[in-house]
Every structure is written in C-alpha cells, then in structure tokens.
Amino acid sequence: LRGAGATMGVLGRAWRAYSAALARSPLRTKMASAVAIYGGGDAAMQAVERWRDPALRAWDAPRTARMCVYGGLWLSPFLHAWYRGLDAMFVGRTGLSVTLGKLALDQSFAATTNMVMFYSINSLLDGASLAETRARIEDRLWPTLKSLWCLWIPVQSINLSLVPLDKRVLVVNFVGVGWSMFMSWFGNQPSRVAAPVPVDVVVSEDALVKPGPRGNSLAS
C-alpha cells in the first residue's frame, strides 16, 4: 500500500506539472508530448521486432526521428487547431447530434488527412520519390483507415463529448502510445504496389525486337 501511495503521488505531481505547462504553453506542451510518445512508441516497436528477429540488431534511429517529426511537427499542431475549429463549428450546441457530427468530420476529413501526411512525411524523409510516395499512399491508406476506425471511433466518441477541449490532444497522445507502435510497424512494411516507371526509361516493345545493323535484335 505504501508503494502504491508513492506511485500515486508521483503521478499526481506529474499531472499537475503537465497541466501547468499546458496552461503556460499549450502548443509546445502538446508537441513535446507527441514527440515523446511517437518516438517512444517506435523505439518500443523496434525492440519487439529485434526480439522476434535476432537478425535485426541495429536500432533504426532515422525511422524513430521520422516518427517524431510526424507526431511533433505535424500531428499535434494539426489537432491543436482542428479541435478548436471543430468546436467553433458547433458553438452553443450540445447533444448526440453534435457529437455525431464532430465524430463524422473527425473520422473522415481529419483521419484521412493525417494518414496521408503520415505516409508522405515518412516516405519523403526516407528518400522516396513523389511517385513512390504516391504509390505507398495508394497501397496503405485504405487498410490503415479501416484499422484506425476500429480504435479511434470509440475513443473519439468519448473524447469529443466528455473531455475538455484543452485535454483532448492529451487523450489522443495517450491512446496514441499503442497506435504509434502499430503505425511504426505497419507504416514501415514494404509496399505491395510498385511506383510507376518514369517515361524516359520505358523501352518500347518495337525497340526490343527491331533488328540491328547485322540482323541481331536488342533482345538477343
């Protein structure tokens, strides 16, 4: 009991410190939280991957950095503005219809935007071309959204109806610990769709079979 009391005391102080930082500098606090959560989620997922496959011995620091960029520089600022805009759309109105309206907008526009940005940021920072990035989005967006809705529709139903505005990004970040681990794994799997081949490197069928000066084709 004494150990449990000490743990609760530490958690209470941490919560008060977070709330104070949130009041002083809300956006910076949310960004720092997201960096810690998405970076930590990726590091944890990589540890699981190395445990399952001993051949993966090295920690992929650039992969963790990409997750931190997405969480801290895109997701948190976007959600910070998004929740304020969402509340402004329904200002002065309450009830189930309002919650459902917010949820529909959140899980359609916001979810799709964030997943497109997730794959764009991770692909481009990993050195992929625009064509490769587009192919990756086309391959992964729909499966990702289906997984996202299974988790986030119930979470956001509670978050948008019961949680105060200034704490909503915290809820997303807290649940995002597990979600970031999933995205770290799923988002770094090889794409099943190949990027389009640039036009200037396509060799026509006629060129492959056209006889050369000595009667030899290019295919021989």
Side-chain angles (χ1 to χ4, degrees), residues 37-140:
I37 288 167
Y38 274 81
D42 178 76
M45 193 67 244
Q46 288 196 50
V48 172
E49 291 171 1
R50 291 196 300 273
W51 173 73
R52 296 181 62 183
D53 184 0
L56 301 173
R57 296 189 179 278
W59 170 49
D60 188 348
R63 171 176 150 179
T64 302
R66 292 193 297 271
M67 293 293 288
C68 290
V69 169
Y70 168 74
L73 297 184
W74 167 259
L75 184 62
S76 276
F78 174 84
L79 292 179
H80 178 78
W82 171 247
Y83 289 139
R84 279 160 172 72
L86 201 57
D87 269 16
M89 294 180 197
F90 298 91
V91 64
R93 298 162 58 189
T94 59
L96 180 61
S97 62
V98 171
T99 299
L100 292 177
K102 289 180 179 180
L103 188 63
L105 289 170
D106 185 70
Q107 294 300 297
S108 55
F109 172 76
T112 303
T113 299
N114 284 325
M115 289 302 95
V116 168
M117 289 302 298
F118 173 85
Y119 287 113
S120 298
I121 290 169
N122 276 275
S123 296
L124 293 173
L125 290 182
D126 196 30
S129 66
L130 290 176
E132 291 168 335
T133 299
R134 179 178 177 179
R136 192 168 186 81
I137 292 170
E138 291 175 349
D139 179 45
R140 292 304 173 92

Side-chain angles (χ1 to χ4, degrees), residues 144-166:
T144 303
L145 285 173
K146 288 190 290 185
S147 298
L148 179 150
W149 289 327
C150 290
L151 172 66
W152 288 105
I153 286 178
V155 170
Q156 291 293 68
S157 298
I158 297 171
N159 196 25
L160 294 171
S161 59
L162 301 178
V163 178
L165 176 61
D166 65 334

